[in-house]
Amino acid sequence: MGFHAIFNTCPPFGRRADINEIERKGNAMQNKASRRRQQVSASPGRLFASEPTRRQQWANKAVHEILAGYPPGKTPPFKVLEVLLELFNTLHTSLDKTVSHKTRQERAQFLRRFFRDLKAKAGFNTIPDPRNLGQKHIHAMVLVWQREHLAPATIQTYLSFLRGLGMWMGKHGFVRGPAHYGLSVEEYQRHEYAQRDKSWSAQGVDIQGVIEQVCAYDPHVGASLRLIQTIGLRRKEAVLFRPFGSVVPFEATGLAYEDKVVDQYVRIKGKGGRVRFIPLDSSARLAAVEFAQDVVSSMGAHMGNPANDLKQNLRRFDYVLEKFGITFRALGVTAHGLRHEALIEHFQSLTGQPPPVRGGMGLPREVDQFARKAVSELAGHARIRASGAYIGQSVVLCTKVSTPTVSVDLRDSDDSP
């Protein structure tokens, strides 16, 4: 197996260019390379093309002018919150892009619940106007979350949502770091790398036996599980998979010819609209797709029951899994554990050794990085380090002393495993 390093070089200017022209080109290249939202003061109209169309009465008004129409003390706090959600909830808090419908719903639900809980759980007599939210309110709610023993990932997400609310109101830096609110490292630090093997086989589950039982009860859900097991799909990706429409020839992938593995690939559209192509390069993958093709009722059908919508099919998926004990409480696994199974096996097939989460160690750095990149691509992630959520931390990285970092915008990034 060969490994190639690619170095990008920039050719020198052939003539002396005007300083202003150089600066203009440099700024253009920087803006093109960065997706960071420019932190500018609110201006009339839509700041970015990704923003939704505003109400007609808000046209040509800056944010502060819109909010001036809802004076504090005279406008119900939840009315102000709904205005802020309408203006900003579709947008990422730091990148110049929109967020998924799932993030919008979760962020809106949390913020509404947060203000209700200030009175119901934190003991405040009145619910404050969002613009009058203070540090005392956040401190009080952090104490509530500590009493409720919320997971570190949940607390990070909540603080991220509040940080976004502060940015919407022009209060950048309003929400401080977790330590400022008395949270210990254990209470807010996410584990970026898998701490244990979450695959079904690691929990002693008879994978084929359980999937066969599910297939006999509900072929649609059973076929989805087989796709997760062999191709490493997410739950939603498996339900939306079209056994006929998603299978494409290599020529339709747009991949470089030297990267060709087989003649047929499956096209998967994952989180954030990212598209990936997975080769049907094994008998197990081909068998899973062929079984799915036998289950669906038409050439354009997906793996969900055609009589139901996506929400109903996802609910049906969860119901069937619970019926057969595929839960943490019963068997100690979830459907996502099959995704871990597929990605761990992919790492092992490339390296010939188990990953760190299964006790593997001693791989050369270039081999480890090559395999991690392949695992990330199969999983549909843009970052190599995302593979660590499935296969564990590299032994090379484990030997380095690092400072724990907190990812406060993981939910917004739509890049969680």
Side-chain angles (χ1 to χ4, degrees):
M1 183 181 297
F3 300 92
H4 302 277
I6 301 175
F7 299 93
N8 294 321
T9 58
C10 181
F13 289 104
R15 59 180 177 82
R16 182 176 179 82
D18 180 78
I19 294 178
N20 292 333
E21 181 67 12
I22 294 176
E23 291 180 348
R24 185 188 67 78
K25 289 183 178 180
N27 291 335
M29 291 176 65
Q30 183 179 5
N31 292 335
K32 183 178 181 180
S34 174
R35 299 176 62 207
R36 285 281 164 189
R37 184 182 301 283
Q38 300 298 313
Q39 300 296 345
V40 296
S41 58
S43 59
R46 299 163 67 195
L47 296 178
F48 304 97
S50 55
E51 285 193 29
T53 304
R54 292 180 176 178
R55 301 182 196 177
Q56 186 174 0
Q57 61 266 36
W58 292 352
N60 298 321
K61 287 186 177 181
V63 172
H64 70 275
E65 293 175 325
I66 295 173
L67 292 176
Y70 303 90
K74 297 182 179 180
T75 308
F78 284 104
K79 178 67 175 179
V80 177
L81 179 60
E82 293 303 320
V83 170
L84 290 168
L85 289 171
E86 184 175 344
L87 286 170
F88 298 107
N89 197 35
T90 60
L91 302 178
H92 195 285
T93 53
S94 59
L95 300 180
D96 187 10
K97 68 171 187 175
T98 58
V99 295
S100 69
H101 291 283
K102 178 174 179 288
T103 298
R104 300 175 199 180
Q105 181 182 20
E106 291 178 351
R107 183 159 55 187
Q109 288 178 342
F110 163 75
L111 290 174
R112 293 173 184 133
R113 186 175 65 250
F114 176 85
F115 282 93
R116 289 197 302 267
D117 287 349
L118 283 172
K119 184 175 182 179
K121 295 183 178 181
F124 289 93
N125 293 327
T126 59
I127 297 175
D129 185 291
R131 291 164 292 188
N132 294 332
L133 191 68
Q135 293 296 330
K136 64 180 181 180
H137 299 110
I138 301 178
H139 274 284
M141 284 306 300
V142 168
L143 290 176
V144 171
W145 300 339
Q146 288 177 309
R147 289 200 304 267
E148 295 177 347
H149 303 290
L150 297 188
T154 302
I155 291 179
Q156 273 201 46
T157 299
Y158 286 177
L159 291 177
S160 176
F161 288 160
L162 289 174
R163 189 172 288 105
L165 175 65
M167 293 176 66
W168 297 350
M169 298 183 295
K171 298 180 178 180
H172 303 288
F174 169 67
V175 177
R176 314 287 177 79
H180 178 79
Y181 302 107
L183 290 165
S184 63
V185 174
E186 293 76 15
E187 290 177 300
Y188 68 81
Q189 181 182 349
R190 292 181 189 267
H191 293 293
E192 184 177 3
Y193 300 99
Q195 305 299 302
R196 66 179 182 87
D197 186 347
K198 299 179 183 179
S199 65
W200 285 22
S201 59
Q203 313 308 317
V205 176
D206 178 7
I207 299 176
Q208 300 309 322
V210 171
I211 292 181
E212 287 177 6
Q213 293 178 32
V214 174
C215 287
Y217 180 77
D218 189 320
H220 289 87
V221 176
S224 295
L225 289 179
R226 293 188 66 175
L227 291 167
I228 296 173
Q229 177 197 8
T230 57
I231 304 179
L233 303 183
R234 298 180 177 92
R235 159 177 163 268
K236 184 177 178 181
E237 292 172 348
V239 173
L240 290 176
F241 183 81
R242 298 181 184 274
F244 290 100
S246 297
V247 178
V248 298
F250 170 77
E251 291 71 22
T253 64
L255 300 174
Y257 184 78
E258 56 268 23
D259 295 331
K260 182 178 180 179
V261 178
V262 289
D263 293 330
Q264 286 188 315
Y265 287 69
V266 290
R267 180 184 185 275
I268 306 297
K269 186 175 182 180
K271 283 188 174 183
R274 289 185 293 273
V275 175
R276 64 189 188 276
F277 294 94
I278 302 173
L280 296 177
D281 56 356
S282 69
S283 58
R285 287 180 177 177
L286 285 169
V289 171
E290 290 172 357
F291 180 80
Q293 291 175 342
D294 291 337
V295 169
V296 296
S297 57
S298 67
M299 297 290 289
H302 52 66
M303 290 316 307
N305 190 322
N308 300 328
D309 59 23
L310 176 60
K311 186 175 181 180
Q312 291 171 326
N313 279 319
L314 290 174
R315 188 182 298 121
R316 171 66 178 182
F317 183 92
D318 294 338
Y319 166 78
V320 173
L321 264 60
E322 185 174 356
K323 181 178 180 66
F324 286 88
I326 307 173
T327 63
F328 276 122
R329 180 176 299 178
L331 295 178
V333 297
T334 65
H336 203 70
L338 272 185
R339 176 169 158 88
H340 282 252
E341 192 86 43
L343 298 173
I344 288 173
E345 289 182 358
H346 189 54
F347 181 91
Q348 292 185 166
S349 69
L350 292 172
T351 64
Q353 293 189 28
V357 76
R358 286 188 175 176
M361 57 189 303
L363 284 174
R365 180 180 179 86
E366 63 271 15
V367 176
D368 180 78
Q369 288 299 298
F370 175 83
R372 286 177 180 275
K373 183 175 185 295
V375 168
S376 294
E377 290 174 350
L378 177 59
H381 289 293
R383 302 168 301 155
I384 294 179
R385 70 180 187 184
S387 63
Y390 307 96
I391 61 178
Q393 187 174 13
S394 169
V395 176
V396 175
L397 294 177
C398 286
T399 60
K400 296 181 179 180
V401 178
S402 59
T403 302
T405 57
V406 179
S407 175
V408 296
D409 287 322
L410 185 58
R411 184 63 59 91
D412 262 357
S413 71
D414 276 337
D415 201 28
S416 55

